[in-house]
Amino acid sequence: MATWSKVKQQLQSFMSPDLEGRVEYRASSYKYIKDKAGSCYLSVDKNEVFAMNTTKYNIRWYETEQEIYKDYESVAHVSPDEIQAFKEKEGKNIPDERIPVILKKRKAQAIAKSIFVEQTILSKSNFFEEANTFLTSSIDSSLASDHILLNVFAIIDRRVGKSRLRKMEQQINEKHPVVQYFYHLRLDK
């Protein structure tokens, strides 16, 4: 994976000239914390607009995951086909009674992650994942995505013209407020 400075440089190279110097990608890490937790955020005119904080994210993710795992009704049932597929793929040395527990735990993690994405409680690692996805994907897929950061990266990208953005007004109005904010910023509304 590329370093933060490399990712930041690549993202900035695609930024619309109208927004250069106004929109910044920022990241901080804490040297003396074991996992080097930190945050990433987007700022406009030196004001933080959208932040992703790893430490808060990890704590809330774990709490939500535990709540989901304890409430078996919110975790999808593990089917015999799923158990068999797991055994064939990676469970040859795992006792049969542990496989459903492992599969339910994985489902709880996936549900917790989807809840956080919906609530926009994103982490620093999400920022890097989304940035790398954006840098290796087409603008069209980023604009059409359900991911907030991909939408923002595409909206402030110099390769997307203002006339194209104006045609997307109805779609943008259905997206997250942060996406709408950057849309209006780009169009100077």
Side-chain angles (χ1 to χ4, degrees):
M1 183 184 238
T3 64
W4 164 244
S5 59
K6 187 79 142 174
V7 170
K8 181 179 178 180
Q9 182 182 23
Q10 288 176 318
L11 288 172
Q12 286 178 326
S13 72
F14 289 112
M15 189 177 298
S16 168
D18 301 347
L19 300 176
E20 285 179 5
R22 292 190 67 201
V23 176
E24 295 180 85
Y25 305 105
R26 298 186 165 265
S28 63
S29 292
Y30 304 104
K31 182 177 179 180
Y32 298 107
I33 294 178
K34 182 180 173 186
D35 64 357
K36 296 192 177 187
S39 62
C40 285
Y41 59 95
L42 299 172
S43 68
V44 176
D45 299 327
K46 307 286 184 208
N47 297 312
E48 185 177 302
V49 175
F50 188 57
M52 293 125 285
N53 186 302
T54 303
T55 306
K56 290 179 188 172
Y57 177 77
N58 288 338
I59 292 167
R60 290 186 64 193
W61 178 323
Y62 178 76
E63 291 169 351
T64 302
E65 180 185 320
Q66 292 305 304
E67 289 173 19
I68 291 168
Y69 187 70
K70 288 176 186 174
D71 182 10
Y72 287 108
E73 290 181 16
S74 68
V75 178
H77 175 70
V78 178
S79 72
D81 292 339
E82 291 174 308
I83 292 171
Q84 187 59 38
F86 180 85
K87 281 183 184 180
E88 291 171 7
K89 185 175 180 185
E90 51 189 298
K92 293 178 180 153
N93 296 326
I94 298 173
D96 288 348
E97 64 274 3
R98 292 291 304 151
I99 294 173
V101 174
I102 292 168
L103 291 173
K104 284 183 180 182
K105 182 74 171 168
R106 288 183 180 177
K107 286 185 178 187
Q109 290 171 341
I111 291 168
K113 185 170 185 173
S114 69
I115 288 170
F116 280 164
V117 168
E118 290 297 317
Q119 294 175 341
T120 69
I121 302 169
L122 302 170
S123 71
K124 188 175 179 180
S125 63
N126 290 119
F127 182 88
F128 285 114
E129 287 173 23
E130 297 290 316
N132 284 318
T133 299
F134 173 74
L135 293 170
T136 58
S137 301
S138 71
I139 288 290
D140 293 332
S141 65
S142 294
L143 285 170
S145 174
D146 291 333
H147 294 259
I148 295 164
L149 286 171
L150 290 178
N151 293 158
V152 170
F153 293 149
I155 286 170
I156 62 178
D157 192 294
R158 64 179 157 77
R159 297 171 290 175
V160 178
K162 288 185 179 183
S163 61
R164 181 175 181 187
L165 287 173
R166 284 187 189 97
K167 292 175 186 173
M168 296 180 63
E169 186 170 11
Q170 182 60 38
Q171 295 167 318
I172 299 295
N173 288 336
E174 297 171 3
K175 295 200 179 265
H176 189 275
V178 169
V179 176
Q180 294 175 29
Y181 172 83
F182 281 97
Y183 173 80
H184 293 294
L185 180 71
R186 176 76 192 278
L187 295 178
D188 292 323
K189 288 187 174 183

